[in-house]
Amino acid sequence: MTRSSKPELLAPAGDWEALVAAVQNGADAVYLGGKLYNARQGAANFDREELQRAVDYAHIRGVKVYVTVNILLSDEELGDAARFLHFLQQTGADGVIVQDLGLANLARQVLPELPLHASTQMTVHNRAGVEKLLALGFRRVVLAREMSLKEIRDIKEATGAELEVFIHGALCICYSGQCLLSSIIGGRSGNRGRCAQPCRLRYTLVDEKGRPVVDPREVGEYLLSPRDLNLSEHLPDLIHAGINSFKIEGRMKRPEYVATVVRVYRNLIDRAMVDEDFYITPEEARDLAQIFNRDFTTGYFFNRPGYELMSYKRPNNRGLFLGRVVRYHPGTGRAEVALEEPLRVGDGVEVWVSRGGRVGVEVHAIWEKGRQVEQAPAGSVVEISLPREVRPQDRLFKTHDAFLMERARATFASPREVRKSPVTFHVRVRLGEPFRVRVEDDAGHSGLGTGLTPAQPAVKRPLTPGFLKEQLDRLGNTPFALKDVRCDLDDNVIVPVGEINEARRRAIEELEAAIVKSARPAPPLPEDAFARRLVGARVKATGRALPAGWSPGKRPLLSIAVTDLASLGAAVSAGVDQVYFGGESFRSGPPVGEKEIRRGVEICREHGVSFILSTPRIIHDPEMAAVVRLLDLAANLPVQGVLVGNLGLIDRVARTGLPLYADLAFNVFNLRAVTYLLDQGAVQLALSPELTMAQVAALVARGHFAAEVLVQGAVELMVSRYCALGSLLGGLAAGRNCAGPCQGRRCALKDRVGAVFPLEVDQFCRMHLFNSRDLCLVDEVHKFVEIGVASLRIDARGRGAEYARVTVEAYRRALSLNPAGDAGELSRLRERLQQYSPAGLTRGHYYRGVE
């Protein structure tokens, strides 16, 4: 599929300077966040006054503004978040980027005028998921970064949806929206905009006994730190795929970064639209690398990269290779360096010293052939002051280019505009009438300015078209440039210069107001109308169908997720009520196929246990057929439902007639999200593990629905299309298949403080990372009974039959005890389960919550 229209260049703006940098360097649109409710709380962001100013500033210059409201929201926050959306609609924002299903559901009811964009935090990665969001009222979908170009092209052709993809910048190692690593480790939730980026820290790949299986000195220690995405060489392919918006990551980056990357991509997109022989110049490639890089990758667009995706040896900017140390002079403290890139005074360099890591310095002076110089070209040998740790052959990297930064800064630090729109002035001067000027841009917007006093007969120098053009061309700090002046001018008249200038100023002001008004997606919704809609949108979820074997007021069901038949049998014998099994398996254990599913269903039926077919939370389109075959199998077996965590499966499960059990991947955080999933046919909903006990209680009390909570097991912290085992042990790289080192093998990642995080690889070769400590609420089950939850889930995936049996027995016993009189036995049950979690147990977020 080809397209004739140019894709949108979408730039990040973490603060005002970055906004100006993006606009002045050629962005078609910017995305930015308010002070609350956005996924980059570490950025400066914009208060309400600044947001209005930002929208007007961008619109006057022909640039759209999308505002991020892309975090999970509690019920207490939803009302204020909706009012914030109303404010954004009144400002004229061109769209709002959201993650939370509940907020999206509410926004469609109370603000259908405001375009909704689905954040990449919604983990949309297949055609059916895109179609589901279109049905929910989304205007645009920001696809998961893990998608291939072919998948994107196929979705575009099949749906015609407006699609946005990232083309440059930092990558997350986990599917966005499915990561709890920062949340569980330090309480800073990525789903709440507080990610501490623990993926950029040191890890070691170890075996079951904690022994390293690769040498960190050879491979590197940053095993979860991807390179930066860079698709600059492939823009024609992306354009032909029909992608609507090319997105640059970087709301936490400096404005100089935004200016440079936007400038380069602006040139490249324009070139790709007109030049059949597309190219990127060495200077453009160098600028992108110099401004920031962790090495570059094309991500998953063209293949599964494996080892080549990662920046194992450093998690931050590596700059450009500058040269090597030739020799060091201890007497002067200078090193001779053979340059492979130009060097200037003010540049920053980093030396990768052979002993002791890396040393960074700013270059304050350069000597070439004994003479002090301000700059030196590539190919020269110079002397610069470096620390005494350096040795001959040590490598130098330029991490800060003073000239590049100055060039970037000039585009946003000066009041003079770089980006200007052409305008035409229409002047009318009649004897006895006030001076009149109308200014018009190429889009037909116009503004009018008039003088205060009538034109007089000229005594010496009458007005001329040339003089008027000179006065009207004084547009220096405006976003406009003179295209033409058309005069209707009486002979021999004069008007004070001050009146000409004042009329020009008023005309420009009116022109800007006209542009701002016409750029609005819809007229501002009055406050009273919005208030009525918000009151009318109040909702109370009520359970429709309920999970088999449970009704309100009954004790919770005990559920377990397993990935092997032996564990299923052990859990059933121990007295579990519900089993999640079949659609997801791990390569560390035996494979699961139709035979195992049939046998699992039979075991459950014989013992009166509900069998719920599990399905993966990630299902790319090429994998969908395999999952659909399992659904078709389940539809012809006595199963009680399907566990679903993927938007793209909801309608497909509905067609089977099987009850829908909503999984943890939906990040259910509020009653609106509950209502949406109930409306989709869900009979039971797993709540977000980031909720506190109090939040769970309030949600269940207000909603009266069948809620499930995770109470036991290693919490899944991330799911990734990158596999550390395949990349480091199996030879997985672009164009090379994996040798399958995960088969029958268990590995983990050990962090810098010794915590060990187990790894599993599923049947689709995706890596799952689990917490080092098991969640355990066995001595707190009575609280969930009081709350009225429908199901207590044990996650025993990959843990084996003994773990499944012991945990089910412990929780079954705990549910039978009186918490007031049997506190000691509850404590003993917890101690028993601690034997299966050597690193200790945790209560997760039930009492501490998340930031």
Side-chain angles (χ1 to χ4, degrees), residues 651-699:
D651 290 344
R652 187 63 185 79
V653 170
R655 290 197 290 272
T656 69
L658 293 170
L660 174 72
Y661 287 66
D663 204 357
L664 295 163
F666 285 122
N667 292 317
V668 174
F669 218 76
N670 55 63
L671 194 56
R672 288 280 173 181
V674 168
T675 302
Y676 172 75
L677 290 168
L678 291 176
D679 288 343
Q680 301 305 308
V683 300
Q684 176 183 289
L685 287 79
L687 302 182
S688 167
E690 295 188 292
L691 291 170
T692 66
M693 188 78 75
Q695 287 174 314
V696 170
L699 195 53

Side-chain angles (χ1 to χ4, degrees), residues 568-629:
L568 180 148
V572 169
S573 298
V576 80
D577 298 305
Q578 292 185 154
V579 170
Y580 306 126
F581 177 72
E584 182 177 63
S585 60
F586 292 152
R587 292 178 180 269
S588 63
V592 175
E594 181 177 334
K595 177 182 175 182
E596 288 74 22
I597 292 173
R598 289 182 180 276
R599 179 58 184 149
V601 171
E602 182 62 22
I603 292 171
C604 288
R605 187 189 64 78
E606 290 172 354
H607 291 80
V609 173
S610 293
F611 180 99
I612 315 298
L613 178 72
S614 65
T615 59
R617 65 173 69 190
I618 305 296
I619 311 169
H620 286 264
D621 280 320
E623 302 153 357
M624 188 64 77
V627 177
V628 169
R629 284 194 293 272

Side-chain angles (χ1 to χ4, degrees), residues 464-500:
T464 64
F467 179 80
L468 288 171
K469 182 176 181 181
E470 180 182 338
Q471 294 302 310
L472 296 173
D473 196 18
R474 296 183 177 183
L475 299 169
N477 291 341
T478 74
F480 306 108
L482 182 64
K483 176 182 178 181
D484 193 13
V485 176
R486 298 175 185 175
C487 296
D488 181 5
L489 182 62
D490 274 357
D491 294 333
N492 203 39
V493 293
I494 190 68
V495 173
V497 172
E499 293 223 359
I500 296 174

